[in-house]
Amino acid sequence: RKRYSKQRVTCELAFKVGFASAKKLANIGEYIVIGKDNRPSSDMLEAAVTAGICSAGINVIKFGIVPSSAIPFLIKKTSASGGVMISASHNSSEYNGIKFFTDHGFKLEEETEAEIEKEIDSINDTSLRSSGKDIGRVSNRCDLVDSYIDFLTNLYPLNLRGLKIAIDCANGVASFIAPEAYKKLGAALSVHSNEESGENINYMCGSTFPENISNIVKKTKSDIGIAFDGDGDRLIVSDEKGNILDGEFIMAIIVNFLKNEEKLKNNLLVTTVMANLGFVQALKNLGIKVITTDVGDRFVLIEMLKRGSIIGGEQSGHIILLDKYTTGDGILTSLALLNVLIKQKQPLSELSKIMKKYPQVLINVE
């Protein structure tokens, strides 16, 4: 993820990235889906990537503003050969980036990304020329976004009536999607940081500024607060007292429930080497095996697939529920947590007592 500027992510680069990735992901005449977040530069980069893909002879299906985590669903829904998301996730509005997904809904492996980079370096004016039937076409299917909401709520068809939920949409894509999901399930909703311009995406709100949702919960007397990041694939929550609970608390609550329900495949959870010792110890006390990987959801997913784990994630709130979906999704994870809340009939402040954080200092080493 880079700043959108003359020196970093440019339309020219985005065009080449679209061209090179299309040649790697699809064959002539096939389809690639594209989604974007709502930050100002996303429209330009979407157009540039689309032009690059079409120049490679691949058709494009545009879905407009959607969560990053919607792309795998839309790939399957349209039988596409891959997907692209224009977003800089939890970063501020001046940044942007381009993510890719395979036809199976997984993010690209490092080796594939390296091959695309080599292809970009080899592009010249001649290789970019295409004409007539060799040019891909573009279609818009924003109408299918509602089916993504249906997909999530069908995975957890909860009755949220009587539950008061506060959500912080980080002024990002969750503003367009999340309220509808919770309302569909009957929740009483208090929506915040849902400005749609994208100019202040993630600014002093969302999962990277959890103090905001904590204050909102206390002010609105909500049962739970849910704060997303800009592209909606992670979350941090607040209990009814305003206590902030990161991804480790969320995972501990969900994984304990799965174990008690005898649904925890292979009795393990995958996280990263940055995991808090209190989290790891709590799971060991519950008889749950913990596997650690390098930092990044890519490495968590690889290990989950290797070990046959159905749950894994990071402190940041990027959590993968592999028995439900192929990537981390903030709304889906919140529904899994709300499912426990309803089934256990306990407030979140009680459920979170399952673990206690140990003092921790994280240092970046270059």
Side-chain angles (χ1 to χ4, degrees):
R1 303 180 188 102
K2 304 288 186 181
R3 288 178 184 266
Y4 179 82
S5 70
K6 293 180 181 179
Q7 288 76 34
R8 303 294 179 84
V9 180
T10 64
C11 288
E12 291 82 3
L13 176 59
F15 180 92
K16 290 182 178 181
V17 168
F19 181 84
S21 62
K23 292 185 68 176
K24 188 66 183 176
L25 294 174
N27 297 313
I28 298 292
E30 294 180 346
Y31 290 84
I32 288 178
V33 305
I34 292 186
K36 62 183 176 182
D37 69 16
N38 55 323
R39 66 189 71 221
S41 61
S42 290
D43 291 344
M44 285 190 295
L45 294 179
E46 176 197 43
V49 172
T50 298
I53 293 172
C54 289
S55 293
I58 311 301
N59 300 307
V60 171
I61 306 175
K62 295 165 63 176
F63 290 96
I65 297 171
V66 294
S68 291
S69 43
I71 299 299
F73 168 80
L74 295 170
I75 289 171
K76 184 177 181 180
K77 185 79 173 177
T78 58
S79 300
S81 298
V84 181
M85 180 67 188
I86 311 295
S87 176
S89 189
H90 57 280
N91 293 287
S92 52
S93 63
E94 68 269 27
Y95 290 87
N96 219 329
I98 306 170
K99 304 178 185 178
F100 293 95
F101 293 83
T102 69
D103 58 339
H104 292 107
F106 295 111
K107 292 179 182 178
L108 298 188
E109 295 180 354
E110 286 184 308
E111 294 81 2
T112 305
E113 289 184 343
E115 291 171 5
I116 292 174
E117 289 176 5
K118 287 183 180 179
E119 180 69 28
I120 292 171
D121 292 337
S122 68
I123 291 174
N124 54 51
D125 290 341
T126 302
S127 63
L128 291 174
R129 291 173 187 169
S130 55
S131 61
K133 64 180 181 179
D134 293 330
I135 299 176
R137 303 297 297 270
V138 181
S139 58
N140 291 280
R141 291 303 310 272
C142 295
D143 58 296
L144 289 179
V145 176
D146 285 344
S147 64
Y148 176 63
I149 298 175
D150 293 338
F151 165 72
L152 294 175
T153 54
N154 286 335
L155 286 174
Y156 285 102
L158 307 176
N159 181 359
L160 299 181
R161 289 177 177 82
L163 204 60
K164 190 172 183 179
I165 300 175
I167 60 173
D168 177 342
C169 298
N171 295 317
V173 299
S175 307
F176 301 79
I177 303 289
E180 293 305 313
Y182 299 116
K183 287 177 182 177
K184 184 174 182 179
L185 296 173
L189 208 57
S190 178
V191 184
H192 304 265
S193 303
N194 59 332
E195 186 178 316
E196 297 181 354
S197 72
E199 294 176 0
N200 56 352
I201 189 170
N202 298 312
Y203 179 68
M204 296 188 72
C205 60
S207 63
T208 55
F209 196 77
E211 295 85 354
N212 191 48
I213 192 63
S214 172
N215 292 331
I216 289 169
V217 165
K218 288 183 282 188
K219 182 178 179 180
T220 59
K221 294 181 171 53
S222 296
D223 297 303
I224 182 176
I226 302 168
F228 299 98
D229 71 332
D231 68 335
D233 64 357
R234 66 177 72 179
L235 78 165
I236 297 294
V237 302
S238 167
D239 70 16
E240 77 285 358
K241 297 179 180 179
N243 298 311
I244 297 168
L245 307 177
D246 65 15
E248 292 180 338
F249 280 100
I250 297 169
M251 286 190 288
I253 292 169
I254 295 173
V255 77
N256 183 51
F257 176 78
L258 291 173
K259 181 176 175 61
N260 291 337
E261 293 287 306
E262 298 183 349
K263 295 179 180 178
L264 183 59
K265 184 179 178 182
N266 293 328
N267 197 44
L268 63 86
L269 176 144
V270 179
T271 187
T272 76
V273 293
M274 289 177 64
N276 185 273
L277 183 59
F279 171 62
V280 175
Q281 190 60 54
L283 266 56
K284 288 183 178 179
N285 291 343
L286 294 168
I288 298 169
K289 187 176 181 180
V290 178
I291 304 295
T292 57
T293 73
D294 290 338
V295 177
D297 62 284
R298 179 208 306 272
F299 301 109
V300 171
L301 177 59
I302 290 172
E303 198 66 23
M304 289 177 69
L305 292 168
K306 178 182 176 182
R307 302 274 187 165
S309 171
I310 62 169
I311 180 169
E314 303 174 275
Q315 282 185 6
S316 64
H318 194 284
I319 297 168
I320 302 171
L321 303 172
L322 203 50
D323 61 329
K324 302 291 186 182
Y325 203 31
T326 60
T327 191
D329 182 286
I331 297 175
L332 178 61
T333 301
S334 75
L335 294 180
L337 181 63
L338 288 167
N339 180 54
V340 179
L341 199 68
I342 292 169
K343 296 284 179 63
Q344 298 292 90
K345 297 180 180 180
Q346 289 182 301
L348 195 53
S349 60
E350 285 297 314
L351 293 174
S352 65
K353 290 180 180 178
I354 192 171
M355 64 165 280
K356 184 178 179 180
K357 287 277 189 179
Y358 287 7
Q360 181 179 29
V361 176
L362 300 176
I363 300 174
N364 291 325
V365 179
E366 297 183 0

